[in-house]
Amino acid sequence: MGTKPPSPWDRHPSRSRPERAHRERPTDSNASMHADHKRELRLYGLNAVRAVFARRPEAIRKVYLNEARIPQLQALLKWCAVHRIGYRVVEDADLQKLAASSHHEGVVADVLREPAQSLLTWLQALSSDRHCALWLDGVGNPHNLGAILRSAAHFGVAAILLPQHSSLALSGAAARVAEGGAEAVPFVQLGESVEAIAQLHAAGFALAATVVAGGEDVFAAELPRRLVYVLGAEGEGMDRGLAADCDLRLSIVGSGAVESLNVASATAVLLAEWSRRGA
């Protein structure tokens, strides 16, 4: 068992419990705190929390953990103590309530969300190398998003592209399933589709609509060095107009025993094939 570093909550008894919401009219300071709260994301899972600490420690606002995790999170707890970030050692039942999940893996953290980039900002910062990105058209299941992020991180995807009116956002469940991948792949918020496609084309990207049937076999097709896989929603598929605007139509040919792979499994196959071409 590791030694427990001093906690800011331990030093300040008045902070031993999460603060209750105030009822008074917000001041400028209160409004700022409320804005921060709206930007906060409750993460859980060891690798998800470790990934934020490794890349964006300043985003961490609070940490809750069980005693068994202290040895593995010594560096994080020491950082919290130095920077006066509150943390508490709690029971598993408390962690389950905080995470609203039994899959908390012994640690929960409130962190600030990383804002999505604009497409133009992302393109301007992109190197001239070979790149792959994922355009998620209606994907909403958090476990599928988490699995997609994990595959995207594994294969070095440059970004997740979100349609203009997409409500898709990272959740604690998605971040846990991603096993740290959510910190490795940036989100890019697109504008109007026609303009976004024009900007991607101008940057040398081709768009490939991924379809269940009727597309070119991805294992035989020529894949451009800069490629955006466009992936449709679970069940409904992608918007037909968007599919028609893509440069390619690709399918994953299988045995026919089942209709198709789910979107997360299909993403892993598509990315593996794109990665293999660059080896």
Side-chain angles (χ1 to χ4, degrees):
M1 186 66 63
T3 302
K4 175 185 171 184
S7 165
W9 268 321
D10 292 339
R11 292 198 300 267
H12 300 278
S14 64
R15 297 174 62 190
S16 61
R17 296 179 181 176
E19 299 83 357
R20 293 186 177 184
H22 295 291
R23 294 181 179 274
E24 67 268 25
R25 181 173 298 175
T27 62
D28 289 344
S29 176
N30 288 332
S32 177
M33 290 172 63
H34 180 65
D36 271 0
H37 179 70
K38 290 181 67 175
R39 291 177 55 207
E40 281 187 8
L41 169 65
R42 176 154 287 174
L43 292 182
Y44 55 94
L46 185 60
N47 287 335
V49 173
R50 277 175 161 172
V52 173
F53 176 56
R55 183 170 169 267
R56 300 186 297 130
E58 71 284 351
I60 297 171
R61 289 295 177 265
K62 295 175 186 175
V63 178
Y64 308 86
L65 72 159
N66 62 26
E67 192 171 4
R69 284 298 186 201
I70 291 175
Q72 295 161 297
L73 295 171
Q74 282 280 336
L76 168 59
L77 300 183
K78 289 178 180 178
W79 190 92
C80 287
V82 169
H83 293 85
R84 300 180 63 80
I85 300 298
Y87 70 83
R88 293 182 68 188
V89 178
V90 298
E91 300 298 325
D92 278 353
D94 298 313
L95 292 173
Q96 185 165 338
K97 290 178 183 178
L98 287 163
S101 171
S102 61
H103 302 294
H104 51 74
E105 299 175 4
V107 61
V108 174
D110 292 334
V111 306
L112 292 181
R113 290 182 180 275
E114 186 167 25
Q117 302 177 36
S118 71
L119 179 58
L120 185 58
T121 297
W122 175 69
L123 288 173
Q124 288 176 338
L126 204 59
S127 72
S128 60
D129 298 334
R130 180 175 180 266
H131 290 292
C132 183
L134 302 176
W135 182 319
L136 303 186
D137 181 44
V139 175
N141 182 289
H143 293 90
N144 278 338
L145 175 59
I148 287 170
L149 285 167
R150 186 172 183 175
S151 294
H154 181 78
F155 290 110
V157 164
I160 300 293
L161 309 182
L162 303 177
Q164 184 176 23
H165 300 296
S166 173
S167 61
L168 185 64
L170 186 66
S171 65
R176 184 195 67 80
V177 173
E179 293 287 354
E183 286 296 312
V185 186
F187 282 78
V188 173
Q189 190 71 55
L190 302 175
E192 195 273 328
S193 290
V194 172
E195 183 180 356
I197 291 171
Q199 289 177 312
L200 288 164
H201 280 160
F205 282 92
L207 277 69
T210 57
V211 295
V212 170
E216 191 175 358
D217 183 354
V218 69
F219 302 114
E222 182 178 348
L223 300 181
R225 66 185 298 273
R226 286 193 159 200
L227 178 64
V228 176
Y229 282 125
V230 183
L231 298 150
E234 303 90 342
E236 296 85 1
M238 75 182 67
D239 178 83
R240 290 185 179 181
L242 176 59
D245 288 337
C246 289
D247 307 290
L248 307 168
R249 293 173 65 84
L250 299 175
S251 297
I252 299 171
V253 178
S255 67
V258 294
E259 182 183 14
S260 64
L261 297 171
N262 85 345
V263 67
S265 298
T267 299
V269 172
L270 293 165
L271 292 178
E273 181 60 17
W274 180 83
S275 179
R276 185 185 68 82
R277 302 292 184 91

